[in-house]
Every structure is written in structure tokens, then in C-alpha cells.
Amino acid sequence: MRNRIKLLRSKFKKYGIDGYIIPKNDDFFTEYSKLNRLEVISNFSGSAGLAIILKDKNYLFTDGRYTIQSKIESGKNFKIYGFEKLINCSLFKNLTLGIDPKLFTNTQIKNYFLKNNKIEYIENNLIDEIKKQKKNTSIPFFSLDKSIVGESINSKLNKITKYLKKNKSDYIFISAPENVAWTLNIRGGDGPNSPVPNSRLIVSKSKKILLISNLKKCKQLLKNKIIKKDEFLDENNLPSRLLHLNGKNFIVDDKSCSIFYENLIKSKFKIIKKEDPIYLLKAIKNKTEIKNMINAHILDGVALTKFLYWIKKINKKKINEVEATKKLENFRRLNKNFLYPSFDTIAGSGKNGAIVHYRAKKGNCRTINKNDIFLCDSGGQYKYGTTDVTRTICFSKQKQNIKNIFTKVLKGHIAVATTDINKNDTGKKIDKRARKFLNKSNLDYAHGTGHGVGFFLNVHEGPQSITKINSVKIREGMILSNEPGYYKTNEYGIRIENLVYVKKINKSLLFQNLTMAPIEKDLINFNLLTFDEKNYLFKYHLEVYSRISKYLNTNERRWLASFI
């Protein structure tokens, strides 16, 4: 790592810069990418971060999920701060900082660096010059039938063109691949854990489309006439094609449209900056998507329940975190509809559980001991649905204090699950309900309570989430995670996560559980639960049993019945 930093600094004089900024995201602004330039230069492997290498100092910025992890992986060579320190950055002033304009938006640069420093655009990425990473361009895009996604391409394009006309714009530049996927009912293999098709899309107010990507990836779509020849454009030919488009206005989303592409469009058109409407359209799942997600979660619940039974029984023998991770994936692979994990499994025992996004690695992981609390956060991509679930379990009797904290986390989880969404209709209102019981004991957790989840797509999606600041209205059809937790550094971590969807029952909006797996009863202090909370747990486990018990063997079924 130090040698790479030295090589990077040796390039500063050539470009007339005092420092270079390296974000986690790739040029499609995806959270999880096969390219990880940030890890190359800093050794930090988390999903959110940004490094700044100066002539004599190195900075790494990340969020509360990675406080411990960033110190372990990068603390020797980097000064580590939270993202909040980046706003109008005052840690350094009057410097010229180099960036790759394909990796940043204008708003990011304006908010973070421009007040006190000058920015220099460098077209060739300096990290790639130090270590070239392979791009996988051979995995073709594929289309999903309307029977799977529940809505035709034409219907979706009608919604987009209606939005364009309402906003008096000729075109929209859809720069987020997951939004292209939704619009054209396509998927791909460009994400390590999600079927994202790395591409961009232009839609005109007359409903004409232009899919911008790589020809190898789009051959199947062209062959099956999902898109026509004149609707495809190689990404290298966009500058010349823009010159031949007629019109005045282009809507771009500043969250995922880079400086590079914004400047290209700006050379001919007036830019209107608005949030891509597809984020909200995509977040509201239709009945077919919900039905498919329910089915995927039943399959996933079977695998996870089998794993939980296995690990509770096998723990008399010694297994480590990596072995546990592989065993869980093997249970998922027993189902023919399972494709691959929806993210790298977080399997942390004892003190590793306190690292919110811990990743166990061969040769550097813990053996799971009988006295440990074990936190396992995992998920799968299925035909057709995306899952994400966390269970915290134990293998022996735990201290009363730990049981009390687990129960407070559980009470917060139940409070979210039983929310009257008509009354608490935004993520920030619901987030308060989740933290209430921990906060009474001056305890808290440094991550959001929930995130949006895609349909056979990204495991994290917006605009909805359950956090202290999210004010997006929760609507029927949205899918979110419900995952309060608590983490004691160097000792243990607790998190209980289900995915839920919003259902309208009579005139009320309520959460319905998608996740079907038992919640650890041996960590509950039932004396702290109210009658209603106990009743909720009984009904939840009864539903889990009724949905998945027929797929379990006799011993597994008997064990699951003990939760009712």
C-alpha cells in the first residue's frame, strides 16, 4: 500500500496537483462494484468511503458502519474521519486537487472541496495507472418477461415521457444502471452481487430510446429484438451522437451523472437538474414483483432456518466464521432458483460482530466459540427476488445484561414492524420508534434502521429508507429492511433484520414481513416484553412455521415448532 501511495505522489508534479481524490464508487456510481480503486490505494474494503492523498498526509472518510473496520484496515497509513468532515472541507485549504471527472458529480465537488481548494480534472485515472483492474465485459444483458416484472417496457416509457412533458424537457439522461434495468426490463452481470447491467439510457419525450453500453453485452438484446439497432449506441460514440439530437433541454440526475457526462451534454443542451423519477417509480413494487419477492423469501427462509438449526447443533464441534459462511451458501444452493449471494455475507462471532460490516477471510477469522454471540447478515439473489436478513444467535446461556440489550433491540424491531404508516409515514418518524428502547438506556447504533431493497436488483435502493433524516413518504408497495442493532466494541454485535413490504389493508398502510426465519429466543428476556410484543412474536413464528415447515426435515420442523 505504501509503495502505491508513493507511486501516486510521484505523478503530482506532472499534473500540477497537491493531492488526488479517490472515491469508492466506479463511473456508474454503484455501491458494490467489481472495480475498487479505493481498496487499491488504502486497503479499506468497505462499501462507502473516499481517500485523499496529499504530498505529506493521507485521509480516509467513511460512515458510522465502518468506524472500527477502517481503523483496522487503514489506520496505520491514514487519518480517518466521518463523511461529515468533508462538507466544505476545512482540513486543508488552498490546494489543487486532482480528480477523475467520471467518478464525481458537480454537486459533490461543490459541497466538499470547492470552497477552500481548486479542482483539476484528469481524464486518465491515476489509480488505474498504478494498478490496472480487469473489467468484465463478456457477461451479456438479458431481458425479463412481463410475467416476471409485472409491467411492460412501453408502460414504463409512457410514465417517463409524461414526466418529461410535465417538466418541459426534450430528453432525460438515465445514468444509474439500476434505473436502466427497471425501464427496459433487463438485467446483467456487472455487479459482484446484483444483476446490474452497466449502461446508460437516453429517453426522448417522443418515447425514443438510446441504450448506451458495450456491444458485447447487448448482442443478446439485439438478437431477440428487445432493442433495435438504431436504439443502441456504443459508449465511445456518445459525443458525436449528441450533436445529431434535436431539442433544447436534458434532465440529468446529479446523484449519478458525472461531471464528464454532464459536460458532454452541456456542450449542446440546457441541463435541468432533477432527481431521476425512476428511483421512486422503481421503489413502488407492483403485485407481481411483491408475489415473486414473497416466494423468494420463502425459499431463503428455508435455507436460513436449516442453517440456524445446523449451527446451533454443530457448535459442540469447532467451526470458524468462513466455514459458517460457506455452509449457509451451500444451504441456499440446494434451491435451483438461487443464483448467488446478494452481498458478501457478514458472519462475525464475539468481538467481530461489533464490526458492522465485518467480512471473514480465510486465514484471518475467528473460531466460533460456545460462549460467543454470533451475528450473521446475509442474502441471496433468486429467480426472481432479492433477500437480506440478519440473525444474532447464541450457543450457551448469556449474561442478563446482554439478554436485556438484545431484547431492547428486538422491541425496536417489533415497533418498526407494527408501525401505523398512516400516522408515521416517513423513515425519520419510524426510526425514532426503533431506537426508543435503547435510547432510554443511553444506547444507540451508528447506522440507519432500514434501507430500500430492489426487485431482483440492488440490495440497497432509494429513495426510501428508515434513518434519522429521511423524509420520503412511505408508500404502498415499497420494500425496506427493518434492522436495529447494538454493538459493543471488542465484545459483541447484535442486529435483527427482516425485510418488509408496505401493504394496504382496508384504508391502513402496514408493514408485512417478507423474511421467514426464527428469531433467537435464547437471547430474549421475556419479562421486558409487553403482552402485545409477545403476541407479535407468537404470530410471526406461527407464520414462519406455516410457510416453511413443509420444506424441513423432522428434526428441523420440531425445532422450529419450539418457537411458537
Side-chain angles (χ1 to χ4, degrees):
M1 188 206 323
R2 286 180 181 176
N3 188 47
R4 289 173 186 166
I5 292 171
K6 190 177 178 181
L7 283 170
L8 178 59
R9 285 178 174 149
S10 71
K11 297 174 181 291
F12 287 5
K13 189 174 180 181
K14 177 183 175 181
Y15 293 102
I17 57 176
D18 302 303
Y20 192 67
I21 311 173
I22 307 100
K24 166 64 178 73
N25 60 275
D26 61 10
D27 56 338
F28 288 95
F29 291 86
T30 48
E31 181 182 21
Y32 298 107
S33 170
K34 289 176 180 175
L35 289 175
N36 196 338
R37 298 178 178 103
L38 181 61
E39 188 171 13
V40 167
I41 202 67
S42 70
N43 200 46
F44 174 64
S45 62
S47 65
L50 178 145
I52 301 172
I53 309 296
L54 302 180
K55 290 175 180 177
D56 57 352
K57 290 178 184 174
N58 307 318
Y59 295 93
L60 177 66
F61 301 87
T62 186
D63 63 33
R65 295 172 295 171
Y66 296 112
T67 304
I68 300 172
Q69 182 179 333
S70 59
K71 288 175 183 175
I72 293 170
E73 294 179 339
S74 310
K76 287 182 181 178
N77 296 291
F78 286 79
K79 292 186 175 182
I80 296 167
Y81 294 98
F83 277 130
E84 67 279 358
K85 280 282 187 180
L86 268 181
I87 305 299
N88 292 326
C89 190
S90 57
L91 291 170
F92 37 84
K93 295 180 181 180
N94 304 317
L95 300 180
T96 300
L97 302 172
I99 67 163
D100 180 343
K102 288 184 178 178
L103 304 181
F104 292 88
T105 70
N106 272 309
T107 297
Q108 283 176 322
I109 294 302
K110 184 181 176 183
N111 288 346
Y112 293 165
F113 305 109
L114 272 186
K115 185 179 179 183
N116 297 308
N117 301 285
K118 181 185 172 186
I119 296 298
E120 184 73 28
Y121 299 156
I122 302 171
E123 296 288 330
N124 45 318
N125 190 282
L126 300 189
I127 304 302
D128 290 350
E129 289 184 359
I130 295 167
K131 185 184 178 184
K132 194 74 177 174
Q133 296 180 85
K134 286 183 180 179
K135 289 185 180 181
N136 192 337
T137 57
S138 61
I139 301 171
F141 297 169
F142 57 95
S143 62
L144 299 178
D145 192 79
K146 184 187 170 184
S147 62
I148 295 167
V149 296
E151 187 176 3
S152 68
I153 299 170
N154 190 57
S155 171
K156 292 177 178 182
L157 288 174
N158 284 337
K159 290 176 180 177
I160 294 167
T161 54
K162 185 180 177 183
Y163 177 85
L164 286 171
K165 289 170 185 174
K166 182 182 176 183
N167 288 280
K168 297 178 181 177
S169 185
D170 300 299
Y171 303 95
I172 183 169
F173 184 61
I174 301 167
S175 43
E178 62 268 30
N179 291 353
V180 178
W182 179 87
T183 304
L184 300 181
N185 291 339
I186 62 172
R187 300 294 188 268
D190 292 314
N193 300 102
S194 59
V196 171
N198 276 355
S199 53
R200 299 174 178 90
L201 183 69
I202 292 173
V203 179
S204 76
K205 65 181 179 183
S206 59
K207 220 160 66 172
K208 289 180 180 177
I209 65 168
L210 203 55
L211 178 62
I212 305 155
S213 191
N214 175 286
L215 182 58
K216 280 185 180 178
K217 294 178 183 178
C218 295
K219 271 187 176 178
Q220 202 66 36
L221 298 182
L222 289 161
K223 184 182 176 182
N224 295 336
K225 298 181 180 177
I226 303 301
I227 57 168
K228 300 170 188 172
K229 262 189 177 181
D230 63 350
E231 293 175 335
F232 168 77
L233 180 67
D234 187 277
E235 53 199 346
N236 297 316
N237 298 330
L238 180 59
S240 57
R241 188 62 178 271
L242 281 171
L243 295 173
H244 295 95
L245 293 180
N246 298 315
K248 294 179 180 179
N249 300 326
F250 244 98
I251 289 176
V252 301
D253 188 329
D254 198 45
K255 288 199 303 298
S256 60
C257 182
S258 68
I259 294 167
F260 176 85
Y261 282 103
E262 186 179 322
N263 287 346
L264 265 185
I265 296 167
K266 198 161 57 177
S267 64
K268 184 180 176 184
F269 297 90
K270 180 187 175 184
I271 282 182
I272 301 169
K273 291 191 178 182
K274 283 188 171 292
E275 183 170 86
D276 186 341
I278 296 165
Y279 284 111
L280 184 56
L281 293 170
K282 176 165 58 67
I284 299 170
K285 311 301 187 280
N286 59 49
K287 289 180 181 178
T288 302
E289 290 172 315
I290 294 291
K291 181 183 174 184
N292 281 322
M293 285 288 271
I294 289 170
N295 291 336
H297 278 81
I298 290 171
L299 303 179
D300 200 61
V302 172
L304 182 58
T305 301
K306 283 177 173 288
F307 168 76
L308 291 172
Y309 173 78
W310 172 84
I311 199 168
K312 292 274 280 187
K313 299 298 177 185
I314 201 69
N315 203 252
K316 291 169 186 174
K317 299 175 184 178
K318 297 292 183 182
I319 59 164
N320 63 39
E321 295 161 336
V322 169
E323 289 168 336
T325 298
K326 286 180 180 176
K327 186 68 176 181
L328 175 53
E329 187 171 329
N330 287 340
F331 276 120
R332 285 193 166 107
R333 289 196 181 280
L334 291 174
N335 193 284
K336 64 180 181 179
N337 289 316
F338 175 77
L339 299 171
Y340 44 81
S342 55
F343 55 95
D344 291 337
T345 296
I346 300 163
S349 62
K351 66 178 183 179
N352 289 343
I355 303 170
V356 179
H357 276 195
Y358 170 74
R359 297 289 188 269
K361 294 176 183 176
K362 194 175 180 181
N364 186 28
C365 65
R366 290 183 85 250
T367 296
I368 303 169
N369 293 311
K370 189 179 179 183
N371 294 327
D372 285 342
I373 290 178
F374 178 60
L375 186 155
C376 187
D377 186 346
S378 68
Q381 296 286 2
Y382 290 82
K383 293 180 180 177
Y384 292 96
T386 302
T387 73
D388 180 6
V389 51
T390 308
R391 289 294 181 265
T392 306
I393 61 172
C394 64
F395 311 99
S396 61
K397 190 174 181 180
Q398 294 295 316
K399 294 175 184 176
Q400 193 66 32
N401 180 52
I402 290 174
K403 291 178 75 171
N404 289 348
I405 292 173
F406 180 92
T407 308
K408 287 170 186 176
V409 172
L410 175 60
K411 286 167 78 72
H413 176 90
I414 294 172
V416 172
T418 56
T419 297
D420 178 351
I421 302 170
N422 288 28
K423 184 179 178 183
N424 296 288
D425 60 353
T426 63
K428 65 181 182 181
K429 290 179 183 176
I430 300 169
D431 188 81
K432 288 179 183 177
R433 292 171 60 81
R435 297 176 195 271
K436 181 173 66 174
F437 305 99
L438 285 167
N439 288 169
K440 283 179 181 177
S441 304
N442 295 316
L443 303 175
D444 205 352
Y445 46 96
H447 58 75
T449 300
H451 54 83
V453 179
F455 167 71
F456 186 44
L457 210 51
N458 292 353
V459 77
H460 292 162
E461 75 165 24
Q464 79 280 20
S465 67
I466 304 174
T467 68
K468 292 177 180 179
I469 60 172
N470 193 288
S471 57
V472 172
K473 195 170 182 180
I474 304 297
R475 306 188 190 196
E476 182 182 9
M478 285 182 169
I479 294 175
L480 298 109
S481 68
N482 169 13
E483 50 179 312
Y486 178 73
Y487 312 89
K488 189 165 184 179
T489 304
N490 290 324
E491 291 197 30
Y492 61 83
I494 293 167
R495 186 159 67 250
I496 305 167
E497 177 187 19
N498 279 7
L499 296 194
V500 295
Y501 72 96
V502 182
K503 185 176 182 179
K504 197 170 202 175
I505 301 174
N506 298 321
K507 290 184 179 180
S508 296
L509 287 179
L510 301 167
F511 285 130
Q512 299 287 300
N513 280 301
L514 286 166
T515 303
M516 291 289 125
I519 295 169
E520 177 65 278
K521 62 181 180 180
D522 294 335
L523 282 170
I524 300 173
N525 178 356
F526 284 93
N527 292 327
L528 296 182
L529 296 181
T530 66
F531 173 82
D532 287 341
E533 288 165 341
K534 290 175 184 174
N535 194 39
Y536 168 87
L537 266 185
F538 169 77
K539 286 182 177 178
Y540 174 69
H541 284 123
L542 186 62
E543 184 182 12
V544 171
Y545 186 86
S546 67
R547 294 232 181 177
I548 72 170
S549 60
K550 62 183 177 183
Y551 303 107
L552 305 176
N553 66 36
T554 303
N555 289 334
E556 293 163 344
R557 199 180 301 127
R558 190 179 294 123
W559 176 73
L560 182 59
S562 70
F563 286 81
I564 301 170

